[in-house]
Amino acid sequence: MGRDLSLAHGQEIMQSGNSIDTAAKPEDMLLSIVESGIEQVPPEFIKPPHERVSRLDSEGPHEQIPVIDLAMLDDKGAGKRQVLAEIVRACEEWGCFHLINHGVPAQVMDAAMDATKRFFALPAVEREKYRMTKIGGKGYGQAYVGKAKDWNDRLFLTDFSGEEEPNPDRGCAFSYDLVLTNPPGAQEALASYGEAMHKLVQITLALLSEALGQTPEFLSSKLPSLFGTVLTHYPPCPQPDLVMGLAPHEDGGIFTFLQQSNVLGLEVLKDGRWVPVQPVAHAFVFMVADLVQIVSNDRFKSVTHRALAGPIARTVMANFTATVKDAVIQPAPELCSDRNPPAFRSVVYKEFLKYLGTTDLHVHRLEAFRLRQ
């Protein structure tokens, strides 16, 4: 992780037009505000009526997002063909799926989630020692879009500013930028988690490539991958209908792996309705992001998603995969033809991120890059 890191949702939040308040007082952090015993939502978190959750658009029975079992890859014949077919269907129809038997050990996931929850349970004075010191840097901070803050606090394990030099003493293939010495044992738990997630990213890039009918190296050749993690805590909210845990959006990278706790809160948009994503123990929610939609020439869809606030605290671990700033993002020529011409114009990733960071529209932003036939 070094100066060229420009990761998906984490990076775009830092661009002008969105905010991180690095000069806020400790009591201005949401978790500290909640811990003070509030009974009403502070004005700065209240969303305009049109941005609040409408319970009507998610009422009634829902089809659940697909579940894909990587244990079937043990069968290199029919099993693998079935996995690839399921990935195609999920990415075309949903833009997301639950991934199980993915190779990240359950004990590694549990230890990392426990470390995350223990961090947010630290006294405010201890959390403040990790306060983010520069826009997009590693550490503890708030990120929000629009005029009202989203109802969450975050811990960035990865430096998203692009300014930090790589650590030359790293002894493994992957390491986070943040050194977390408190709570005890957190650094070790998160290091193991990051290494395992990094491996899963490489496996997934190959599977998505084959699902697109290409060689396993296809996406890696088009999009040199970079990886980072953001830990997000949604404190209990006394008036959840007035706020948004995380505003509706699509991620601006390659794809995202989300590890949920056992508290409901994530919703994805499917056919005009918001579908609650039920937590599945030791599964990841895989979400297609913008760059895969572009490179796949509009075949695999970047999923619109949001997070609700509620009366019970919720903690998640978001693992983002994106690419280097100077990468040229465009529909792959191998996936274009006379019958299926390019759907999007080419754009350099740093310019793409600049656009994502300056627009007030956080849903269907890819439309600005679509070529009209």
Side-chain angles (χ1 to χ4, degrees):
M1 308 310 254
R3 289 180 297 176
D4 289 333
L5 186 59
S6 304
L7 292 177
H9 185 54
Q11 176 71 8
E12 66 176 271
I13 284 173
M14 310 309 170
Q15 306 295 327
S16 59
N18 302 316
S19 300
I20 282 197
D21 186 358
T22 57
K25 301 174 184 177
E27 59 266 30
D28 289 335
M29 294 299 293
L30 175 60
L31 189 49
S32 297
I33 293 172
V34 172
E35 289 170 343
S36 71
I38 60 170
E39 297 182 357
Q40 293 184 328
V41 170
E44 64 267 29
F45 290 94
I46 297 177
K47 295 288 185 179
H50 68 279
E51 293 183 12
R52 298 176 194 169
V53 174
S54 170
R55 302 297 173 181
L56 295 177
D57 61 11
S58 56
E59 287 182 350
H62 291 281
E63 179 185 3
Q64 289 299 299
I65 71 171
V67 178
I68 294 179
D69 186 354
L70 288 195
M72 297 182 65
L73 290 176
D74 290 341
D75 177 0
K76 300 299 183 182
K80 184 174 184 180
R81 287 194 295 272
Q82 182 173 338
V83 166
L84 294 178
E86 290 177 354
I87 289 174
V88 169
R89 183 181 74 85
C91 291
E92 289 181 346
E93 298 179 7
W94 286 85
C96 63
F97 52 82
H98 271 126
L99 190 66
I100 62 174
N101 294 317
H102 39 66
V104 181
Q107 61 269 29
V108 170
M109 296 178 69
D110 289 343
M113 180 62 77
D114 177 68
T116 299
K117 290 180 176 179
R118 286 190 293 121
F119 172 81
F120 288 110
L122 289 172
V125 66
E126 294 299 322
R127 297 193 300 264
E128 285 297 317
K129 293 178 180 178
Y130 296 94
R131 176 64 74 96
M132 193 179 291
T133 58
K134 63 178 181 291
I135 299 299
K138 62 182 181 286
Y140 180 46
Q142 290 175 328
Y144 58 94
V145 295
K147 296 180 180 179
K149 297 181 181 181
D150 287 340
W151 191 264
N152 66 68
D153 279 353
R154 288 176 159 184
L155 183 68
F156 292 77
L157 302 184
T158 303
D159 184 277
F160 291 103
S161 70
E163 299 174 2
E164 183 164 306
E165 293 285 352
N167 182 351
D169 298 324
R170 289 175 180 165
C172 58
F174 172 81
S175 180
Y176 290 122
D177 296 305
L178 181 68
V179 177
L180 193 65
T181 58
N182 195 14
Q187 180 68 18
E188 293 76 12
L190 292 171
S192 296
Y193 181 80
E195 289 185 55
M197 288 304 307
H198 188 251
K199 292 177 183 177
L200 179 58
V201 164
Q202 307 312 310
I203 293 169
T204 306
L205 284 166
L207 286 173
L208 285 178
S209 296
E210 292 185 84
L212 288 167
Q214 305 298 317
T215 65
E217 301 77 24
F218 175 71
L219 281 178
S220 294
S221 69
K222 305 294 183 183
L223 299 168
S225 64
L226 295 169
F227 166 75
T229 299
V230 178
L231 315 178
T232 305
H233 183 70
Y234 303 90
C237 183
Q239 297 170 295
D241 288 343
L242 299 181
V243 306
M244 185 65 70
L246 191 62
H249 65 285
E250 297 95 31
D251 289 344
I254 300 174
F255 54 73
T256 302
F257 278 114
L258 187 72
Q259 180 178 339
Q260 299 200 81
S261 62
N262 59 356
V263 179
L264 191 66
L266 174 67
E267 293 188 343
V268 298
L269 192 63
K270 171 74 158 57
D271 299 329
R273 298 182 67 197
W274 287 102
V275 179
V277 179
Q278 298 288 340
V280 174
H282 300 125
F284 289 105
V285 180
F286 171 88
M287 294 185 284
V288 176
D290 288 345
L291 303 191
V292 163
Q293 182 167 347
I294 293 174
V295 172
S296 71
N297 200 30
D298 214 23
R299 184 179 180 188
F300 290 176
K301 306 301 183 184
S302 182
V303 62
T304 305
H305 54 286
R306 69 185 185 184
L308 307 187
I312 302 173
R314 176 173 175 262
T315 306
V316 302
M317 306 180 69
N319 303 282
F320 298 108
T321 304
T323 193
V324 294
K325 291 180 181 178
D326 59 356
V328 177
I329 313 302
Q330 62 187 355
E334 297 91 333
L335 302 178
C336 299
S337 65
D338 290 340
R339 290 187 176 183
N340 187 32
F344 301 99
R345 65 177 175 86
S346 64
V347 60
V348 178
Y349 189 48
K350 61 183 177 183
E351 297 303 321
F352 180 76
L353 286 172
K354 182 178 179 180
Y355 171 78
L356 296 189
T358 55
T359 178
D360 288 332
L361 177 65
H362 297 284
V363 178
H364 306 311
R365 293 172 296 184
L366 275 186
E367 294 306 303
F369 299 88
R370 186 176 294 278
L371 293 171
R372 305 302 172 187
Q373 303 301 326

